[in-house]
Amino acid sequence: MWEQLFLRSARPSLSLQGQIREMLVDAILSGVLAPGDAIPSSRELARHLRVGRITVVMAYQQLSEEAFLLSRERKGHFIHPDVLQGRTVTASRSSAKAEDSADESHTDWSRRLWLRPSLQRSIVKEDDWQRFPFPFLYGQFDKDLFPTAAWRDCCLKALGVVDIRMWAPDHINRDDESLVQQVQTKILPRRGVWASPDEIIITVGAQHALYMVADLLMREGVAIGIEDPCYPDARNIFSSRTSQVIPIAVDDEGLPITQSMQRLEYLYVTPSHQCPTGVTMPLERREALLETAKKHDLIIIEDDYESESSFDEQPIPALKSLDRSNRVIYIGSLSKSMAPGLRVGYIVAPPELIEELRALRRLMIRHPSTFIQRTLAMFISQGHYEAQLRRLGQAQKERHAELASAMARYMPECRITPVRGGGSCWVQLPDHVSAQALARQAAQNGVLIEPGDVFFTAPGKAGNYIRLGYQSIPANQIGQGIKALADAMHRL
């Protein structure tokens, strides 16, 4: 039994001592071991698990200090008799299911739901994508590019006594001041944006920022223009607030200036690298867009998507930096260039809007993790973030070159939209090839791609597009992966 319990707790991320602790705690709380039960001596358990006795002794000692175990002199260790005190005792799952089946009345949740987010069209990715040899997926974690040592060092510094006193208390609706300062002085100036602390709020990623902005500013009847194709979750967020979501077809320079903008109140745009085509809006069009916004009293929501990832030495300034009438709400992400799981973004907007966003965020989550905020502030202040951007930019430039070369060699019948940076490219397939069918066939070859129909407002008019991300695949595997994709396409 002990060997099987130990195997269940075997995780490379835990020390042997940690795995033994987890094994015993799980066995106690799941009912495998009952209060008062005796457990093997440290010598006996060490022999069962084939580990050092001192490892078991240390685990027993910690669990005794935390009242999971009770040590009795000359008798050994026992499950503490009070270990389950205060926990609600419920019926077993099998008996609960039997009671459910006997009760013919069920709550009809479907008639109570006024919104069904699960029915919206969203990007779908394999949960176990990391086991595929050729994951051409955008925005996923790349262990080879993550600055593990530097991040761990900053985490340890944030766990110092003085810093814990700063981030551990409830901040209510405030952010960690050190991170706001780093965003103000190090991050925004790179994009030509200058803001005061009362114009900045930290969010749980850019998507959280979009959700809060929509919550405050949009209701039924409000007209908002979006790019087409567009970031699906932005479209879904706006569509849950108003039915007046107006798609505007993008061209090779991003979002064009159109007559439809006259009847809009808001406009969502990704000018740095349009999602999903990757094209960059030129300076002249940015200035024309701001002039149009001023003329028609239009508020622009700028998602500065992949702004830090440019193949050019001089990237084009953000719309926010060119704004002279305070019409741009600027949204950025700090985790996209690090690891998506960090979930850190920010909004730059007028103080009166930031004040309301803080009040709204308090109702939702109070504030993002202040431990992560403090750690990231240290990471930026010590120059690690700047170094990471250079490393990421060089890697993406090399990977894009590898992908373009491989596409020209193995899939010349496909058209790649030219880009000036970013971690993905937009590919048009031949008319007779279905993007969905290709994705299914390619997965059998170990290749993961993203069909493009989900990015379009009207999927029937989407054409045959796919998005190939290269942020999560090493450069030396790109050529082989594109060859496998070409083989899948030819089989179709």
Side-chain angles (χ1 to χ4, degrees):
M1 180 187 77
W2 292 106
E3 290 179 19
Q4 292 301 315
L5 289 174
F6 189 62
L7 285 174
R8 282 170 49 184
S9 301
R11 286 197 289 155
S13 59
L14 287 178
S15 64
L16 286 173
Q17 183 180 322
Q19 292 179 53
I20 292 171
R21 278 176 49 86
E22 186 171 289
M23 171 190 73
L24 288 167
V25 170
D26 183 62
I28 293 168
L29 298 183
S30 63
V32 175
L33 298 175
D37 282 355
I39 61 173
S41 67
S42 58
R43 189 184 305 278
E44 185 181 357
L45 186 61
R47 180 174 57 82
H48 277 304
L49 305 183
R50 291 184 281 278
V51 300
R53 184 190 173 197
I54 190 63
T55 302
V56 180
V57 169
M58 293 298 291
Y60 279 9
Q61 181 177 334
Q62 286 186 329
L63 290 171
S64 297
E65 292 173 357
E66 295 167 1
F68 281 98
L69 299 182
L70 180 64
S71 175
R72 292 175 178 165
E73 192 174 354
R74 297 183 181 179
K75 291 186 178 180
H77 285 85
F78 299 81
I79 308 302
H80 199 291
D82 299 330
V83 71
L84 299 181
Q85 190 173 1
R87 293 175 63 88
T88 303
V89 180
T90 59
S92 66
R93 290 184 179 181
S94 57
S95 61
K97 286 182 178 179
E99 290 176 10
D100 285 346
S101 60
D103 184 3
E104 295 182 357
S105 63
H106 295 284
T107 302
D108 182 8
W109 288 105
S110 62
R111 68 180 181 84
R112 296 175 180 269
L113 294 168
W114 65 270
L115 181 65
R116 299 293 296 272
S118 64
L119 301 181
Q120 292 179 319
R121 294 165 50 239
S122 303
I123 299 172
V124 178
K125 297 179 182 179
E126 297 282 350
D127 291 338
D128 59 345
W129 65 269
Q130 293 186 75
R131 74 173 179 83
F132 286 78
F134 310 114
F136 289 100
L137 302 177
Y138 171 75
Q140 293 296 342
F141 172 73
D142 186 343
K143 65 181 186 305
D144 296 327
L145 293 179
F146 185 74
T148 303
W151 181 255
R152 181 188 294 120
D153 182 58
C154 291
C155 284
L156 291 174
K157 286 185 171 67
L159 290 172
V161 174
V162 174
D163 284 287
I164 287 177
R165 290 174 181 172
M166 298 299 293
W167 62 256
D170 182 3
H171 283 49
I172 305 176
N173 65 351
R174 294 180 295 109
D175 291 308
D176 186 284
E177 292 178 3
S178 61
L179 181 57
V180 171
Q181 181 184 34
Q182 292 303 316
V183 171
Q184 179 193 11
T185 60
K186 304 278 178 59
I187 304 299
L188 294 178
R190 290 176 58 94
R191 303 293 298 129
V193 177
W194 303 93
S196 58
D198 62 351
E199 294 178 299
I200 301 169
I201 183 174
I202 305 300
T203 64
V204 186
Q207 193 164 319
H208 176 220
L210 288 171
Y211 195 96
M212 290 202 299
V213 167
D215 239 14
L216 278 188
L217 302 179
M218 296 173 198
R219 62 192 183 282
E220 182 53 54
V222 168
I224 175 170
I226 62 170
E227 301 161 320
D228 196 31
C230 176
Y231 176 42
D233 282 336
R235 183 184 65 229
N236 290 338
I237 288 170
F238 302 144
S239 297
S240 68
R241 292 349 186 253
T242 175
S243 59
Q244 299 300 306
V245 178
I246 313 300
I248 303 172
V250 302
D251 57 25
D252 291 340
E253 294 185 339
L255 186 75
I257 312 298
T258 66
Q259 292 293 322
S260 63
M261 292 181 181
Q262 297 180 19
R263 62 190 181 97
L264 300 177
E265 295 178 61
Y266 299 95
L267 180 67
Y268 171 74
V269 62
T270 56
S272 291
H273 295 105
Q274 197 277 328
C275 177
T277 67
V279 300
T280 300
M281 183 183 292
L283 182 60
E284 297 77 11
R285 183 173 288 187
R286 295 181 187 220
E287 291 173 338
L289 182 59
L290 288 170
E291 187 61 33
T292 300
K294 181 179 179 181
K295 180 179 179 181
H296 299 296
D297 192 22
L298 177 64
I299 298 297
I300 296 175
I301 302 169
E302 179 184 12
D303 187 346
D304 208 11
Y305 174 74
E306 289 194 316
S307 61
E308 306 285 13
S309 178
S310 175
F311 301 158
D312 301 329
E313 292 185 3
Q314 293 294 331
I316 298 174
L319 273 173
K320 181 67 175 176
S321 71
L322 306 170
D323 179 25
R324 298 293 175 266
S325 54
N326 228 6
R327 294 189 171 277
V328 177
I329 299 171
Y330 184 82
I331 293 174
S333 170
L334 292 171
S335 50
K336 199 172 291 294
S337 54
M338 294 272 292
L342 289 177
R343 309 307 307 150
V344 183
Y346 57 88
I347 302 173
V348 181
E352 55 267 37
L353 181 56
I354 293 295
E355 182 180 2
E356 297 303 328
L357 285 167
R358 287 194 182 282
L360 174 63
R361 190 187 66 178
R362 175 180 178 172
L363 297 178
M364 299 173 73
I365 59 169
R366 296 181 81 81
H367 55 76
S369 164
T370 44
F371 170 68
I372 295 295
Q373 290 189 54
R374 176 57 58 111
T375 302
L376 190 51
M378 291 183 180
F379 189 85
I380 296 171
S381 68
Q382 295 180 17
H384 298 308
Y385 189 76
E386 185 78 21
Q388 171 66 6
L389 292 179
R390 290 196 297 269
R391 186 185 307 113
L392 178 65
Q394 183 60 34
Q396 291 188 343
K397 188 174 183 178
E398 292 174 358
R399 294 178 187 191
H400 178 268
E402 287 285 342
L403 188 139
S405 174
M407 289 292 293
R409 180 178 181 183
Y410 297 115
M411 303 178 72
E413 58 272 67
C414 298
R415 177 184 176 272
I416 298 180
T417 300
V419 297
R420 298 170 59 175
S424 66
C425 64
W426 188 241
V427 179
Q428 185 172 17
L429 303 173
D431 291 340
H432 62 279
V433 178
S434 162
Q436 292 285 351
L438 178 59
R440 291 190 294 270
Q441 183 68 50
Q444 298 180 19
N445 286 18
V447 182
L448 294 181
I449 61 174
E450 296 177 273
D453 59 314
V454 71
F455 297 95
F456 288 88
T457 303
K461 300 178 181 179
N464 289 323
Y465 290 94
I466 59 173
R467 182 169 71 168
L468 294 178
Y470 40 81
Q471 191 169 332
S472 309
I473 180 171
N476 59 8
Q477 294 182 22
I478 287 177
Q480 188 180 352
I482 294 300
K483 184 178 184 301
L485 179 62
D487 292 341
M489 188 176 76
H490 295 150
R491 276 201 298 276
L492 289 177

